[in-house]
Amino acid sequence: MVLKIRTYPDPVLRGKAKEVTNIDGALQRLIDNMIETMYAAPGVGLAANQVGILQQILVIDINPRQQTEYPLIALLNPRVVTAEGSAEGEEGCLSLPGFNAVVERAERVFVKGVDREGKETEIEATGLLAVALQHEIDHLRGRTILDKASPLKRSLYKKRALKKSAAE
Ligand code: NI
């Protein structure tokens, strides 16, 4: 089932997601729905906050057409344990339609978490996958790329988004 993607200024995007402690059928359905929603958008990643759920769940597929090189990732309770280097790149976000910002991220990250079966997992990532992991983990902490933009760019987008949501 494709879920509704929450967009700015929905307060759930500012919420801090809680650790997942119970891996049950409802959680598996939620993960499947998040994957479906990400592909339908289409996007390369989605955090549970973006579908209105404050649980630490992210899904990422940076290259849906080449499933062998970068498989679909579903990760629970993810945390960055090592971050090295820095790289700048332009990012967008499904929760911030029409917004792009150049964001500085670590170039290489080592992320730990739990897979959907409850098994401890470690991912070492560079490039786009490293960016996607950091972007989605930020969402789970209540942060978006809006926080990383310049104050002027941020206030322009906020004005535009608030005007739009008032008109709806
Ligand atoms: Ni995003």
Side-chain angles (χ1 to χ4, degrees), residues 62-126:
I62 61 164
N63 200 346
R65 284 186 212 147
Q66 286 176 9
Q67 287 166 353
T68 47
E69 198 181 353
Y70 295 109
L72 169 67
I73 292 169
L75 197 61
L76 314 174
N77 307 336
R79 61 196 187 280
V80 175
V81 289
T82 312
E84 291 167 2
S86 78
E88 274 189 345
E90 191 162 16
E91 296 178 31
C93 178
L94 294 174
S95 294
L96 300 166
F99 184 79
N100 284 285
V102 174
V103 178
E104 191 182 340
R105 302 279 188 192
E107 193 180 14
R108 176 187 296 269
V109 288
F110 193 68
V111 172
K112 284 192 180 181
V114 174
D115 72 12
R116 62 186 297 174
E117 272 79 47
K119 208 177 107 217
E120 289 280 344
T121 306
E122 301 171 349
I123 301 169
E124 191 188 353
T126 57

Side-chain angles (χ1 to χ4, degrees), residues 37 59 88 92 119 127 141 153:
T37 304
V59 296
E88 274 189 345
K119 208 177 107 217
R141 311 286 188 266
K153 209 173 164 184

Side-chain angles (χ1 to χ4, degrees), residues 13 45-47 50 91-96 105 135-136 139 143-145:
L13 298 172
L46 195 69
Q50 295 180 274
E91 296 178 31
C93 178
L94 294 174
S95 294
L96 300 166
R105 302 279 188 192
H135 180 119
E136 303 312 334
H139 272 301
R143 296 193 293 258
T144 69
I145 56 171

